[in-house]
Amino acid sequence: MTKKTVILFFLVLHSITGWSQKVMQLTSPNGQIVLQATTGDELLISVSQNGRTLLEPSPIGMNIREIGEIGKQPKVTKVTKRSVSGQKIASPIYKKSEVEESFNELIVQFKGKYAVNFRCYDQGVAYQFQTNFGKTPITVINEKADYKFPDQSKGYAAYSNRGKDGDIDSQFLNSFENTYDYKSLSSLNDQRLVILPFLVELPANNQKICITESDLYDYPGMFLRSKANTSAMEGVYATVPKVTEQGGHNMLQKMVKEREGYIARTKGTRSFPWRIFAIADNDKDLLDNDLVFLLGRPSSMTDLSWIKPGKVAWDWWNNWNLKGVDFRAGVNNDTYKFYIDFAAENNIEYVILDEGWAVNKKADMLQIIPQINLEELAAYAKSKKVDLILWAGYWAFHRDMEKVVKHYANMGIKGFKVDFMDRDDQEMVDFMWEAAEVCAEHKMLLDYHGTCKPFGLQRTYPNVINFEGVNGLEQLKWKKQGYDQVIYDLTFPFIRMLAGPVDYTQGAMRNATQKGYVPNYTEPMSQGTRCRQLAEYVIFESPFNMLCDTPINYINEEESTEFITSIPTVWDETVALDSKIGQYISMARRSKDTWYVGAINDWKTREMEIDLSFLPDGNYQIEIFRDGINADRNATDYKKEKKMLSDDKKVKIKMYPGGGVAAKISK
């Protein structure tokens, strides 16, 4: 029996209660990871790697009003096994052009017309409930996911940033943005919801498990909540909205005033979301995990040629802040023509019109302020070979979506940045799928801002080109001194970015040391060095990638701007290099024959060796941006140099506090 063969054991035991018990085991293709499913009073799952327990026996199940509790006293009726080895999947708008898939699968059918699909990959494990109750709809009251980890396990918890402690319903409305609370699972705040992905650090050998989900469809997203004084986390889900009313930010949201007593009303025969446990022996493995993509629903779209990733000249972060021009800068045609000219001169594919172009508080995307003539702007952009994207408040977009999308597609607009969704209950998840389909029909892109993490939708509808759900650079417009963006930037790529692309919006040309940072809404700055900002274009996955600063600052920083605009936004290959969560990250990515390397650092001065020995044989030239000798006092200080890469293909770099290095490597 080879390591790539599914190992399946059936052991018939008897518990003291007398219930028949079965134990079923499934291994990963490399034989290291074992997923075990046990039946008895409840359906339990556990996970181990090389004999070490990662997840202790944990009950899973669902409570369905019309059926009862599935997963309770389960009776196995049939087991089907399957192995897939070396399957190639094209992934043109991703961090690699092709993903290889290998897994072992066990589908266990139970009495009561339901099944659980278990899969083991070398990168982790996943399970998915399936029901076969015919055409009659079902009502899911709740889903049980009571995950039990070894004692002394720690977690990286990003809590819901809205609502009151203990009032769980009030926390379902949130922007899915927060820093991480790193502490033992038993001491996490059990009065607050934790958003996915959630990273668990095991007590031995630095092993980590990242919990998230994929193929989330017609169903609410999962939150987790710690169980007081234990190392367990339980799944929590928003119930279905019963009464909503227009409100929230500039009257652009639907606020839930009352909820039903169930989490989903859905088809009786269907597959439910994949629950994913990504497993990593080394921190860097979390930077290149493909499970969310692989477990996403395959796309039925055949023509992707119109989906064009690229850079975006963005207005909101820099507050339309121009100088030396002969017009009043702001939300008007003169300003956007300036942005369009800047984009055209620097090979930037898009310009976005963020909030302000439509009449405020009307939630009507067809009511445009007098200072904006969109048809004129669209024609001007087309003449410059630049495309336009429109910001859209959620309810303004949703309430008349077909009409809005068709109208602006006909005008030549190429997509929408939809904001302030701030929920992932069944109603909002359904909207995200519906919007993706409508926009695909009209060849329009979608950037989901003010939303949850990616959940596989980007594979099904590749025109959904970006997601926020990240505590991005916008925070530095208002966060007080003492807020630490630098450490956050060294944490979320191992957690949030595992789920998919991030609308982080880097590119600040005003850079500050730890002591020099101050919040400034109209002239914002970044924390850390200039080279850190450059490196983030390599490290952060973002097919639709903003240049957040004002065109004036980029024009005055020609060297940095040329390098930023040269960096691709999708890749043929990704290689995670030496990285440690919260301390430093280094990563290499390839586009055609050119490699880009990025590394970022915490608040320490660090001597770092970047090992590029994975490069194929040959002579390489490296163009490198590194922190200047005075970067610890002046964060904008950097040095650029070109040289031949050494024979051993190792680059030694000194990075200053909050520092970075960015490089372009070509033959």
Side-chain angles (χ1 to χ4, degrees), residues 176-229:
F176 301 92
E177 303 165 298
N178 214 337
T179 54
Y180 294 98
D181 187 14
Y182 170 57
K183 58 179 60 174
S184 65
L185 298 186
S186 60
S187 58
L188 291 177
N189 187 348
D190 65 335
Q191 299 299 300
R192 296 210 67 80
L193 294 174
V194 175
I195 61 178
L196 294 189
F198 173 68
L199 185 64
V200 178
E201 181 179 279
L202 281 302
N205 301 305
N206 197 39
Q207 285 179 303
K208 293 183 172 66
I209 299 179
C210 191
I211 303 171
T212 193
E213 59 189 341
S214 191
D215 197 19
L216 176 64
Y217 176 82
D218 196 29
Y219 201 74
M222 173 188 269
F223 294 88
L224 292 172
R225 185 181 183 184
S226 63
K227 303 185 77 170
N229 303 314

Side-chain angles (χ1 to χ4, degrees), residues 61-62 127 129 141-145 219 222 235 237 263 275:
M62 299 180 77
Y127 71 89
F129 279 97
I141 304 298
N142 202 8
E143 178 182 340
K144 177 181 285 187
Y219 201 74
M222 173 188 269
Y237 319 84
I263 66 173
R275 306 300 179 206

Side-chain angles (χ1 to χ4, degrees), residues 464-585:
V464 181
I465 202 166
N466 231 6
F467 286 76
E468 192 186 19
V470 66
N471 213 53
L473 199 71
E474 67 183 31
Q475 302 295 324
L476 296 183
K477 287 170 70 77
W478 54 76
K479 289 291 189 181
K480 295 179 180 179
Q481 286 181 314
Y483 170 78
D484 199 334
Q485 189 74 26
V486 160
I487 299 304
Y488 179 79
D489 292 350
L490 290 161
T491 307
F492 85 78
F494 300 89
I495 306 173
R496 160 59 185 87
M497 203 167 75
L498 182 142
V502 293
D503 199 12
Y504 176 94
T505 68
Q506 64 271 35
M509 295 292 102
R510 298 182 72 222
N511 315 113
T513 63
Q514 191 171 23
K515 292 181 179 179
Y517 163 76
V518 291
N520 188 324
Y521 194 88
T522 58
E523 297 181 81
M525 64 191 72
S526 70
Q527 293 180 0
T529 69
R530 168 67 55 78
C531 290
R532 180 187 196 85
Q533 291 293 298
L534 304 186
E536 288 176 349
Y537 282 95
V538 180
I539 294 170
F540 298 166
E541 181 187 348
S542 185
F544 188 69
N545 212 338
M546 307 285 173
L547 278 75
C548 69
D549 219 325
T550 170
I552 299 298
N553 287 348
Y554 290 122
I555 290 168
N556 291 336
E557 297 287 350
E558 185 177 355
E559 243 180 10
S560 295
T561 303
E562 285 183 358
F563 186 75
I564 288 172
T565 56
S566 76
I567 300 173
T569 65
V570 294
W571 304 93
D572 294 314
E573 187 175 355
T574 289
V575 179
L577 305 174
D578 186 25
S579 301
K580 189 168 180 58
I581 188 169
Q583 297 184 27
Y584 57 90
I585 294 173

Side-chain angles (χ1 to χ4, degrees), residues 77-93:
T77 60
K78 184 179 179 181
V79 175
T80 305
K81 58 183 180 178
R82 179 171 70 115
S83 293
V84 170
S85 180
Q87 177 174 272
K88 306 288 186 181
I89 299 173
S91 50
I93 304 172

